[in-house]
Structure formats: structure tokens, C-alpha cells
Amino acid sequence: MKDKILVIGGAGYLGAVLTERLLKEGYPVRILDSFIYGKKAVDKYINDPGVEIIEGDIRNIETVNFSMLDTGSVILLAAVVGDPASKARPEQTVETNYLASQVVASSAKISGIKKFIYASTCSVYGVGKDELDESAPLNPVSLYARTKISSEESIMAIADSSFKPVIMRMSTLYGYSGRMRFDLVVNTMTMSAFTEGKITVFGGNQWRPLLSLYDAAEAYLRALEIDYHTGSPSGRIYNVGSEEQNYVITRVAELVAEGIKQASGKEIPIEIKGDSV
């Protein structure tokens, strides 16, 4: 039988899809989530013997330690996500994205967890014009990015020969989830096309590396299953995305409009306003 996977934030946008993917591969899953957006994404698992659901906040040390029991691997997705949310809730952002992440990683190490995977972000690179690999300088321009960098550093600081965490610097996600988000560029444009009959673009020259939600779940599964302990003195950091889905915002709008036209035959106008935001 495969080891149990603890997915922290398993009822979230990516967590809901990743949980389903892990179950499909035969992994028993324990979900730890505060359910601030409700339990709809996990309701279908209430009577599933392969899923255990714990409601709790990762800022609570007792809850974190309890969730580690009898767990083989940990995937930490929970966070205050994105620049607007972090700006609106700065104290909670620091507590959740940085301080609590330290606690979770330390608890995993002390508990002898085999694999620890942390969801970071491509926002750690800030604004740049060149192609960036994992060794590129970090240039955070928001509280969200700064807390993610601090978390990466604190997690990697406790890496050793037996605890080798994996950091996943995620591109901007898109796609359908049981816990939908409409603050992500592709999802926002698609929603606007249907509700307003148009797509509004502010500026349009900003670059966005994009990543399908289902490709992201696959990336986490591969990180989980690869023997990254072999030949590496510490943890690993991965940029998760591809050049094939790296677009300026105006092109993203065009692709969304084209996709809707192919599916429904409906023309969606694109309105470009002012400077980028």
C-alpha cells in the first residue's frame, strides 16, 4: 500500500485537483484545510475510506503536529495567495506564508517525513525581460513574493541528508477546479467574456507564464514520486511551467477569445485600457 499523503490546503484551487489526481494513483490522502472558502470541493470525499479530512489552521502548532501522524509525505499548498489578498491581510500573510510554513517544515522533519514539497511562486523573480532559470536573481516586488522567498530560505535552511525538500515555483495557474478562482488572468478573462460579453485588458504588454491546473497537479505527482534524495546534498528548487505558455496579456486575451469563438461561435471583443496594473 502506498504511503499516506498529507495535502495542506487540499480543499483549495490546486489542492482539490491534486487530491483527485493522487487518489487516482492509489495514494491515501489526508487533507488539512481551514475551509475559509467552504467545503464544497471535498464534500464528495466524506464517505471515501481513502480520504481523511482535518479542519484546522496551520498557524496552530498542535494541529500541524497532529496532522503529521502516520504520514509518508507532505505537500504544503496553503497560503494567502496573490498580491491583492496579501496587501489586504498583511499580518495573516506573514503568519501563514512565512511563520506557519517554518513550523510545518520543522514538524515534518522532526516527524521523519520522507518527502516535503512546498508551493512557491514565479513572483519571487519580480519584473524581468530575460528568460529566468532557478538560479536567476530574486527580485520581489510585493509582500506575497517576499514571504514566499523567506519561506523558501527557512525551509532550505533545515535541509540535510535525510530531509530534502522540493520547492515548486509555480507559473500562473488556469483551469477548472472544485474550488474555483476568478482572480487568475485566464479565468478572469473567461468569466468576463461570458458575463460582460467582452474582455478588458489593462496595459497588455505584461508577460505571464501560464500553467494548466492539471499539468500543475501532474508536476506535483512527479516531484512526489521521483527519487530526489539520490545524488543531491540538499533540497531542490524547480520552476514549474514552460516557454510554450509564456505570453503577453494581450495575447492571452486573444487566445481566450479565439477559444470561446471556436466553442460557441460567439465573437468576443477585446478592449484595451490605460497602463498595466
Side-chain angles (χ1 to χ4, degrees):
M1 186 175 180
K2 293 184 177 181
D3 288 339
K4 183 179 294 181
I5 311 300
L6 172 61
V7 182
I8 302 177
Y13 180 60
L14 172 57
V17 174
L18 178 57
T19 294
E20 190 170 321
R21 184 71 180 89
L22 292 172
L23 290 170
K24 184 178 180 181
E25 290 299 313
Y27 286 98
V29 175
R30 174 181 290 152
I31 294 171
L32 171 60
D33 203 291
S34 62
F35 299 110
I36 60 173
Y37 297 106
K39 298 182 179 181
K40 182 179 178 181
V42 299
D43 280 346
K44 60 184 177 181
Y45 301 128
I46 295 299
N47 297 314
D48 190 328
V51 181
E52 180 183 355
I53 299 173
I54 299 174
E55 182 171 357
D57 194 312
I58 61 171
R59 292 174 293 178
N60 185 305
I61 295 176
E62 184 177 0
T63 298
V64 169
N65 288 336
F66 175 76
S67 70
M68 297 287 170
L69 297 176
D70 303 317
T71 301
S73 301
V74 174
I75 299 174
L76 176 53
L77 304 176
V80 177
V81 179
D83 297 347
S86 297
K87 187 175 181 179
R89 295 178 285 168
E91 293 85 3
Q92 184 181 351
T93 298
V94 173
E95 291 171 1
T96 303
N97 294 8
Y98 174 48
L99 299 175
S101 294
Q102 282 185 301
V103 170
V104 173
S106 297
S107 179
K109 181 176 180 177
I110 293 170
S111 300
I113 297 299
K114 295 178 182 178
K115 294 186 178 181
F116 182 86
I117 304 173
Y118 176 70
S120 188
T121 172
C122 64
S123 295
V124 299
Y125 298 114
V127 179
K129 297 181 179 179
D130 300 321
E131 183 176 329
L132 304 174
D133 62 17
E134 291 83 351
S135 64
L138 304 183
N139 182 33
V141 294
S142 66
L143 175 62
Y144 173 60
R146 291 194 297 273
T147 59
K148 284 296 185 177
I149 290 174
S150 295
S151 293
E152 287 188 13
E153 292 172 347
S154 66
I155 291 168
M156 285 302 189
I158 63 173
D160 58 25
S161 59
S162 59
F163 184 72
K164 299 183 178 181
V166 172
I167 306 294
M168 306 283 272
R169 290 177 178 164
M170 308 293 292
S171 297
T172 302
L173 297 175
Y174 67 89
Y176 177 77
S177 168
R179 209 299 275 180
M180 271 304 293
R181 285 180 59 188
F182 291 105
D183 59 323
L184 300 168
V185 61
V186 173
N187 297 354
T188 298
M189 289 180 176
T190 304
M191 179 182 69
S192 296
F194 280 97
T195 60
E196 301 175 15
K198 65 179 181 179
I199 297 172
T200 303
V201 176
F202 293 91
N205 294 321
Q206 319 93 294
W207 286 87
R208 287 292 184 276
L210 302 176
L211 179 66
S212 160
L213 195 57
Y214 300 95
D215 286 343
E218 187 67 26
Y220 277 84
L221 179 64
R222 294 189 184 189
L224 184 68
E225 295 187 335
I226 192 172
D227 185 11
Y228 58 84
H229 282 250
T230 302
S232 175
S234 60
R236 301 275 183 94
I237 296 176
Y238 295 109
N239 287 343
V240 187
S242 72
E243 280 303 297
E244 287 73 18
Q245 294 192 55
N246 196 18
Y247 301 105
V248 292
I249 294 295
T250 49
R251 182 55 182 153
V252 176
E254 291 168 356
L255 290 170
V256 170
E258 289 168 11
I260 292 173
K261 183 178 180 180
Q262 290 175 4
S264 67
K266 185 177 181 180
E267 292 278 358
I268 302 296
I270 298 171
E271 181 179 348
I272 299 177
K273 289 186 176 182
D275 296 326
S276 61
V277 293

